[in-house]
Amino acid sequence: MRRLICIFVFTFSYGCMMGQSLADSFAIDVSSFKDACSIKDKCDILIDSDNTAHSGNILQRQWKSMADFKGLKLIPATWINGTVYVKFTLQNSSALNDTVYLYPGNSFRSIKLSKISPAGNFITLKDESEEDGFQPIFLSPLEKTTYLAELHFSKRKFNSLALQIIQKSYLTKYQKILYTSSYNEMVIGYLLSGLLLMMIFFNGANFSVNGKKEFLYNCFYAICMFILIYFNTYTERRSGVFSSFFMGYLGFAVLVIGTVFYIAFTRKFLNTSINYPLLNKIFYYEERVLLVLLAIYSYTYFFSGNFRLTSLLENGTKMICLGIGILYVIIGIKQKNRLINYLAIGNAILIFFSIISFLLIIFPVRPAISIFTSALLYYELGIVCELIFFLLGLTYKNRIELIEKIKEQEALKLEAEKQIFESKLAILNAQQDERNRISTDMHDDLGAGVTAIRLFSELAKSRLGKNTIPEIEKISFSANELLNNMNTIIWTMNSSNDSFGNMVAYIRSYALEYFENTGINCSVNIDTNLPEFVVNGEIRRNVFLVVKEALNNILKHANATEVWLTLKRETDGISFYIQDNGVGIDFENLRRFGNGLKNMKQRMTKSGINFSIENKNGTLVTLYAKLTA
């Protein structure tokens, strides 16, 4: 019993001495400053790299002064893999309550703060740092307390340890200064985020209009880059769980996913499966390798404490993306295709700015001379330049597709017109075949019958001699007239006669034969430089009937002895003159002509030929046809 009491007294006394010694060493009087105070030189630090420290042994572990790490620029991997403990003492020498905030920096995924009682016990404070990384500490009047901060660094290579105590009244101003210390970078970051947001709407609108998958993939890529740039800008100087998670994992995951979407977009946009099979195969395997590496990286981040492996996977993935990007640029620039050249140049600019950004991270310029020493700025500029060249490529592709579409429409239009023309031609050919068949039948059947009637009537007339019956004479005349008209009809219906030269020859032959044995001398004059062109059967028939009517009027009414038929080539057409030396035409008394003159005008108007008749040393009938080129 006495032994137990001694042990208890010893333990209590040791705890009081330990608490007293801790409270007395480097005590920071919070009432002695009104804004912020660095506690780096007034605290001790314990690096628990194997995570074996706990409340029962932590105070007995080997602590070091933070002053020993004054020249430390980068946080070692052992600190990130393990747990970092910081021990410091705060004192409130005033007679009023006071609240201050612990700010260890913006590189922590969790902050756990505990009080160390004089007996060496740990009293864990409520964690209020998850949102912004600032942990409040309440101090009573004249209170002096030692605190233990358990810190877990963000799983990223570039971490820092600030260790600041901030007065409550100064906290808002401190945060404002902290968040806006890189104001120009923030403005540019948010401006570029706005441009990416426009790209998202642009690609989304294009996909909704035409349904092309490349716009959907580029939209997802723009979304990933928007998240990356916007939250990089937002979290660069901020603290808290989300900022730590984004800077440690989410930013890289979004970058990889965005790269996968960009590869998918490139494959669709360039149609690499058909146009560039080798490049398509490279992209295909790169997509899958990146997704596998992202899965492994996610597993090591969440379920492994090996930061070196996580960092190796991250850097290896970035190197693969860089290598594939350089290969793509080389292949793209070698191609003689402007579309792939645009994308290759955009990727080359992104790679160039990414290298500058990486060098500025490895070899930072201190102090920052201007905004152009910001590593993030160059990467953001690279992304925007890449999207600008995408727009140039899209404009070029749309122009080419528009030209091809117009060509295709014109080809379809020509094909449709060709089919219509062929249909009309088939109909005309069918009609012409039918005309030829009818003319052949008329010549073979009707012609033979009418010729027989004419012969029989002539035989009857010869046998009767002077006792010829008038009706037989009429039959012979009518048969002869019918045979001539039928020959004319057969001539107009036969397609083999559809030429200007044939029509001229037929009219010349008819005129000479018509005035034979009539006492009227007929002369036909034809220019030698007349063109040759197609004259369809209807026009040939109308012209022939007008000529026939004119010759008939000359024979019956003109009392002429001479007739001249002249066919002459004019500047822009052809003129046909029928001139006689008869008594002329009496325009005041046209009853003797009946409907002949009226029918002649109608036929020529229907055929598109100018018709005129006048007195000129007899009667002059003029037909004029204008020739089109």
Side-chain angles (χ1 to χ4, degrees):
M1 182 69 179
R2 184 178 297 173
R3 186 179 179 182
L4 290 174
I5 292 173
C6 291
I7 293 172
F8 172 77
V9 172
F10 173 78
T11 304
F12 179 77
S13 300
Y14 176 80
C16 290
M17 289 188 293
M18 180 62 72
Q20 184 68 27
S21 64
L22 290 171
D24 289 339
S25 63
F26 303 110
I28 302 161
D29 189 356
V30 298
S31 61
S32 65
F33 60 91
K34 295 181 180 180
D35 42 24
C37 176
S38 173
I39 63 172
K40 272 190 174 185
D41 297 332
K42 300 177 182 181
C43 62
D44 296 328
I45 185 169
L46 172 65
I47 311 301
D48 184 18
S49 58
D50 52 2
N51 293 309
T52 58
H54 53 81
S55 60
N57 67 5
I58 191 170
L59 296 178
Q60 287 78 40
R61 300 291 288 269
Q62 186 178 358
W63 290 76
K64 294 183 179 182
S65 172
M66 273 297 298
D68 297 339
F69 302 99
K70 195 170 184 179
L72 185 66
K73 292 184 178 180
L74 293 178
I75 300 300
T78 54
W79 293 27
I80 300 172
N81 285 332
T83 304
V84 176
Y85 294 93
V86 176
K87 184 173 56 177
F88 57 94
T89 301
L90 297 182
Q91 178 182 347
N92 181 15
S93 61
S94 71
L96 300 174
N97 293 329
D98 200 355
T99 300
V100 294
Y101 287 84
L102 170 66
Y103 176 68
N106 65 340
S107 305
F108 299 93
R109 61 183 188 271
S110 68
I111 304 170
K112 181 181 178 182
L113 188 64
S114 301
K115 281 184 178 182
I116 303 177
S117 68
N121 297 321
F122 295 90
I123 304 171
T124 303
L125 302 182
K126 181 182 178 182
D127 186 3
E128 298 182 36
S129 65
E130 291 185 354
E131 183 176 348
D132 58 5
F134 292 85
Q135 174 63 39
I137 302 174
F138 177 79
L139 294 169
S140 302
L142 306 177
E143 178 184 351
K144 181 188 287 186
T145 306
T146 299
Y147 294 89
L148 181 69
E150 180 183 331
L151 307 175
H152 293 275
F153 279 93
S154 300
K155 292 185 178 182
R156 59 174 182 164
K157 187 173 182 180
F158 304 100
N159 287 319
S160 62
L161 190 59
L163 292 176
Q164 297 275 330
I165 297 296
I166 302 122
Q167 284 287 352
K168 182 178 181 180
S169 59
Y170 186 69
L171 179 64
T172 303
K173 187 175 182 179
Y174 182 88
Q175 289 175 330
K176 185 176 181 180
I177 294 172
L178 179 67
Y179 298 157
T180 60
S181 59
S182 303
Y183 179 76
N184 292 331
E185 295 177 30
M186 290 176 60
V187 170
I188 292 178
Y190 289 133
L191 178 63
L192 297 180
S193 299
L195 292 175
L196 287 169
L197 198 60
M198 293 175 62
M199 286 295 301
I200 292 170
F201 291 131
F202 171 78
N203 285 291
N206 273 280
F207 175 72
S208 63
V209 170
N210 53 41
K212 293 183 177 180
K213 286 186 178 181
E214 55 260 40
F215 288 107
L216 180 63
Y217 293 145
N218 199 265
C219 181
F220 286 139
Y221 171 69
I223 290 172
C224 291
M225 294 303 102
F226 168 79
I227 293 172
L228 189 63
I229 292 180
Y230 179 83
F231 285 104
N232 261 326
T233 305
Y234 178 79
T235 61
E236 184 183 9
R237 299 287 181 179
R238 295 182 182 270
S239 310
V241 175
F242 174 75
S243 296
S244 174
F245 178 67
F246 181 84
M247 300 300 290
Y249 171 78
L250 189 58
F252 175 72
V254 168
L255 175 63
V256 173
I257 294 171
T259 303
V260 171
F261 276 123
Y262 186 79
I263 294 171
F265 148 74
T266 305
R267 291 177 62 192
K268 277 288 183 182
F269 192 68
L270 297 178
N271 196 13
T272 54
S273 59
I274 297 175
N275 298 328
Y276 311 100
L278 175 61
L279 195 60
N280 183 71
K281 187 177 291 187
I282 294 173
F283 283 157
Y284 175 83
Y285 287 110
E286 185 187 12
E287 284 179 342
R288 279 136 187 86
V289 168
L290 288 178
L291 292 174
V292 170
L293 288 175
L294 179 60
I296 298 173
Y297 174 82
S298 301
Y299 177 82
T300 58
Y301 181 88
F302 291 108
F303 304 106
S304 171
N306 192 339
F307 173 72
R308 292 183 184 276
L309 178 59
T310 305
S311 180
L312 180 63
L313 285 169
E314 179 179 350
N315 292 332
T317 303
K318 290 179 179 178
M319 291 303 294
I320 290 175
C321 291
L322 179 62
I324 297 297
I326 293 174
L327 180 63
Y328 169 55
V329 169
I330 294 173
I331 294 175
I333 292 178
K334 284 185 176 180
Q335 299 294 325
K336 296 181 179 180
N337 185 297
R338 285 181 62 184
L339 184 58
I340 192 174
N341 290 159
Y342 278 124
L343 298 186
I345 293 172
N347 274 271
I349 294 175
L350 175 60
I351 291 171
F352 173 74
F353 281 123
S354 298
I355 293 173
I356 295 177
S357 177
F358 180 73
L359 292 175
L360 286 173
I361 292 174
I362 299 297
F363 308 106
V365 178
R366 294 288 184 268
I369 299 173
S370 69
I371 190 175
F372 296 105
T373 60
S374 170
L376 182 60
L377 172 66
Y378 285 99
Y379 183 72
E380 292 171 346
L381 287 176
I383 292 174
V384 172
C385 289
E386 181 188 45
L387 289 172
I388 289 173
F389 274 91
F390 154 69
L391 288 177
L392 292 175
L394 176 63
T395 302
Y396 173 73
K397 184 179 181 182
N398 285 341
R399 187 170 75 250
I400 296 299
E401 288 181 347
L402 180 62
I403 293 172
E404 292 297 327
K405 188 175 181 180
I406 292 174
K407 288 182 178 179
E408 183 179 351
Q409 290 176 346
E410 289 296 322
L412 291 174
K413 183 179 178 181
L414 289 174
E415 183 64 25
E417 292 177 351
K418 180 181 177 182
Q419 291 179 354
I420 294 172
F421 175 77
E422 289 177 349
S423 298
K424 291 182 177 179
L425 184 62
I427 293 172
L428 290 175
N429 289 335
Q431 291 176 344
Q432 194 59 54
D433 291 342
E434 185 65 16
R435 286 169 56 193
N436 292 339
R437 186 191 64 80
I438 293 173
S439 65
T440 301
D441 291 345
M442 289 179 64
H443 180 273
D444 294 343
D445 297 335
L446 295 179
V450 173
T451 302
I453 293 174
R454 181 184 177 187
L455 289 174
F456 288 138
S457 62
E458 290 296 326
L459 286 173
K461 284 170 57 179
S462 62
R463 288 183 178 181
L464 291 173
K466 295 181 180 180
N467 299 321
T468 301
I469 302 173
E471 285 75 7
I472 294 178
E473 187 69 30
K474 290 181 180 180
I475 290 172
S476 178
F477 177 79
S478 297
N480 189 56
E481 187 72 16
L482 180 60
L483 187 60
N484 290 333
N485 292 337
M486 187 178 66
N487 287 334
T488 302
I489 293 173
I490 292 172
W491 173 73
T492 57
M493 291 184 67
N494 197 320
S495 60
S496 62
N497 300 321
D498 287 350
S499 66
F500 180 68
N502 186 281
M503 182 183 71
V504 171
Y506 188 83
I507 292 174
R508 178 180 181 280
S509 175
Y510 177 83
L512 293 175
E513 184 178 348
Y514 184 79
F515 287 110
E516 190 178 356
N517 300 322
T518 60
I520 299 175
N521 184 34
C522 179
S523 299
V524 180
N525 300 310
I526 301 174
D527 278 357
T528 57
N529 61 342
L530 294 177
E532 186 60 46
F533 52 90
V534 176
V535 182
N536 64 46
E538 183 179 3
I539 295 177
R540 287 189 289 114
R541 183 170 183 273
N542 287 334
V543 171
F544 174 76
L545 291 177
V546 168
V547 172
K548 181 180 179 181
E549 180 70 19
L551 298 181
N552 186 55
N553 289 335
I554 292 173
L555 182 62
K556 289 184 176 180
H557 309 293
N559 296 323
T561 58
E562 295 285 343
V563 176
W564 299 275
L565 275 66
T566 305
L567 193 61
K568 185 177 180 182
R569 175 68 187 268
E570 306 291 350
T571 303
D572 57 350
I574 295 176
S575 296
F576 183 47
Y577 303 101
I578 303 175
Q579 172 79 57
D580 65 66
N581 62 350
V583 297
I585 184 172
D586 184 3
F587 288 102
E588 295 180 359
N589 184 17
L590 294 178
R591 291 188 61 186
R592 61 176 177 164
F593 294 106
N595 292 323
L597 186 59
K598 181 178 180 182
N599 291 339
M600 292 168 73
K601 290 182 178 180
Q602 288 179 349
R603 289 183 185 278
M604 292 298 93
T605 301
K606 186 177 180 181
S607 300
I609 298 173
N610 294 329
F611 171 84
S612 65
I613 185 170
E614 59 183 318
N615 287 316
K616 190 175 182 180
N617 299 322
T619 304
L620 175 62
V621 175
T622 304
L623 307 181
Y624 172 78
K626 186 176 182 180
L627 296 180
T628 57

